[in-house]
Amino acid sequence: MTTKATTGTRNRVERSARLKWVPVAMMRVSPLAQRDLNAARVDKIAANFDVERIGTPTVNERSGHFYVIDGQHRIEAIKEIGWGDQQIQCWTYVGLTEEEEAEMFLVLNDVLTVDGFAKFRIGVHAGRDEEVDIDRIVRAQGLRVSRDAKDGAVSAVGTLRRVYRRSDGGTLGRTLRIIRDAYGDAGLTAPVIDGLGYVCARYNGDLDDAHTVARLSTSMGGVGGLINKANVLRRQMGGTVANSVAAAVVDTINAGKGGKKLPSWWRDAD
């Protein structure tokens, strides 16, 4: 959001945002366009408060309030030390939609340390194609992207991206569906999603989903037993955690009577 302006003989690149003194009391936070507030981080900033380190937060003037795009923790620290009645200078946009605020947050934080889950959640709200499609696929399985760790919650967004990118949306959906039916919430972890994603991609038409669910769900120890088996295989064969989980899945499928046997995972392991 920049414009190229010419004034006389001087050329300059101007930001769409303008520096403006903004009352702290009029600032708001959109939960859909911001990461979750880290109270410990706010306390640390407040305890070591230095006005020279406030920097210049970025806000958007919308519906009579100023919604914080960048600088949420600094603003909360200012309130915590009792300066909620003050004004601070901010880069101020005017009239961005909530979706545009989310997109701007991602742009501004592209070089900062923002956890993957927050970026994913805000990316969905910003309407980014990959995040929206992954979210749709997860929901289609009766699951949801969340940190709740219960009721069909999947928090391993980095792994969801990885399976999606190296295969396709259909493979991701199939992977989640098998895990859901075999293990329920307990199986919705990064190693299991990653490993089973490999299995679904490699064996594709040779993999019988119903048989796979039956074998995994009835194997000794459930998902914990699968991870233990993967750890043993990794010590024996080396390789990545995902490859070891994939091998353990294949061994579990092949261990039962009946059903088509799959070729050994290690035959063509990455």
Side-chain angles (χ1 to χ4, degrees), residues 155-217:
S155 62
V157 293
T159 305
L160 294 177
R161 287 185 194 272
R162 188 157 51 250
V163 175
Y164 181 88
R165 289 174 178 175
R166 76 181 177 220
S167 301
D168 51 43
T171 299
L172 176 60
R174 185 183 190 187
T175 298
L176 294 173
R177 190 162 53 250
I178 290 174
I179 294 172
R180 176 200 68 195
D181 293 346
Y183 297 128
D185 292 350
L188 297 172
T189 63
V192 179
I193 295 171
D194 210 2
L196 191 57
Y198 270 128
V199 172
C200 289
R202 175 181 293 186
Y203 296 100
N204 198 7
D206 292 330
L207 188 69
D208 183 314
D209 290 16
H211 179 66
T212 299
V213 169
R215 290 299 307 134
L216 293 177
S217 63

Side-chain angles (χ1 to χ4, degrees), residues 234-257:
R234 192 179 185 202
R235 287 195 293 271
Q236 294 173 346
M237 307 294 292
T240 65
V241 173
N243 265 305
S244 299
V245 172
V249 168
V250 173
D251 287 354
T252 300
I253 293 170
N254 289 340
K257 295 181 179 179

Side-chain angles (χ1 to χ4, degrees), residues 134-171:
I134 291 173
D135 186 63
R136 175 193 62 78
I137 291 166
V138 172
R139 290 180 183 277
Q141 314 314 315
L143 307 172
R144 59 197 174 89
V145 176
S146 173
R147 280 179 165 145
D148 288 350
K150 60 180 180 179
D151 301 329
V154 186
S155 62
V157 293
T159 305
L160 294 177
R161 287 185 194 272
R162 188 157 51 250
V163 175
Y164 181 88
R165 289 174 178 175
R166 76 181 177 220
S167 301
D168 51 43
T171 299

